[in-house]
Amino acid sequence: MKILITGFDPFGGEPVNPAYEAVKLLPDEIEGAQIIKLEVPTVFGKAGETLEAAVAAHNPDAVICVGQAGGRSGMSIEKVAINFQDARIPDNENRQPVDKCIKEDGQTAYFASIPVKAVTEKMRENGIPAFVSYTAGTYVCNDLMYSLLYLIDKKYPKMRGGFIHVPYSMEQAVSKPNGTPCMSLDAIAKGLECAVMAVTENKEDISKAMGTTH
């Protein structure tokens, strides 16, 4: 099995992005799966184009995209991406789409095809705070997740794909307000290894209540 894992470059004035910093810590093989690591730009459209080129080059069995969600307290495994762009801040090329569609011929939304609940459970079993998230936002993270699932829908139906948001790293939290959630890069990388294991072990997702009340 071959799994492509992507992480974004820094954005929003941050010196690092814990997403790609953690991806870089991953071994080249996990549970027999070959790991391909890719940095993608925090730019609307370009992130998806970079991903599509890598998929064409490597033909992976699964793709896991990783992004920073500063303020979240654990690893959040995204269930759904929406066909919508609404940027609160400009991206790294000063693009700031508002109320825009990502793909004119795409579905309103796509569900992740990796086993979201199994990934969450595997992380928890290994001491990593994790939860299922039902919103990937409307910034470049959602843009990339949607582009990935659109690509699967249109061109690579046998490939599985999903997205994981990670908290600030401890190094970033040093300059944040008191109480800002964070995780060490080693813990984030361990969580990503758990995600790979869950993907290799589960062709179908587990059935377990992990919904929200709001």
Side-chain angles (χ1 to χ4, degrees):
M1 177 176 280
K2 191 185 299 183
I3 299 180
L4 172 64
I5 305 183
T6 75
F8 286 101
D9 60 2
F11 72 97
E14 294 292 334
V16 297
N17 191 319
Y20 190 58
E21 294 303 312
V23 168
K24 289 192 293 185
L25 295 178
L26 295 175
D28 294 329
E29 185 175 304
I30 300 171
E31 297 285 308
Q34 179 186 350
I35 305 302
I36 302 160
K37 308 164 195 177
L38 175 71
E39 185 177 35
V40 295
T42 308
V43 179
F44 284 99
K46 279 194 174 181
E49 292 168 4
T50 302
L51 172 65
E52 183 170 3
V55 168
H58 298 287
N59 193 29
D61 298 285
V63 179
I64 301 173
C65 298
V66 187
Q68 171 191 293
R72 295 193 186 184
S73 59
M75 310 276 282
S76 48
I77 297 76
E78 300 296 344
K79 179 66 177 179
V80 60
I82 59 173
N83 194 1
F84 189 67
Q85 300 170 329
D86 195 20
R88 179 180 59 83
I89 60 173
D91 66 15
N92 284 352
E93 290 190 358
N94 210 35
R95 302 178 186 181
Q96 192 173 5
V98 175
D99 295 334
K100 299 294 184 182
C101 180
I102 299 173
K103 300 288 186 181
E104 293 293 341
D105 63 337
Q107 300 295 321
T108 301
Y110 290 113
F111 286 123
S113 51
I114 62 170
V116 170
K117 291 183 177 180
V119 169
T120 305
E121 187 78 350
K122 177 67 76 172
M123 289 184 184
R124 291 175 176 174
E125 289 172 354
N126 285 272
I128 304 297
F131 57 91
V132 177
S133 168
Y134 296 93
T135 175
T138 56
Y139 195 56
V140 185
C141 287
N142 175 77
D143 188 71
L144 179 60
M145 181 182 179
Y146 185 90
S147 297
L148 165 62
L149 300 177
Y150 171 90
L151 188 63
I152 290 171
D153 181 43
K154 301 296 184 182
K155 294 181 66 175
Y156 300 95
K158 293 183 179 180
M159 188 172 73
R160 292 190 288 172
F163 195 101
I164 297 173
H165 266 122
V166 304
Y168 286 130
S169 66
M170 293 175 67
E171 294 82 355
Q172 289 173 292
V174 170
S175 61
K176 305 295 182 207
N178 184 28
T180 299
C182 63
M183 289 177 67
S184 71
L185 288 174
D186 286 341
I188 294 172
K190 181 179 178 181
L192 296 180
E193 286 196 51
C194 291
V196 171
M197 288 188 281
V199 169
T200 61
E201 294 167 1
N202 296 271
K203 290 188 177 180
E204 302 292 332
D205 207 354
I206 62 174
S207 180
K208 183 174 182 178
M210 293 187 183
T212 63
T213 57
H214 59 278

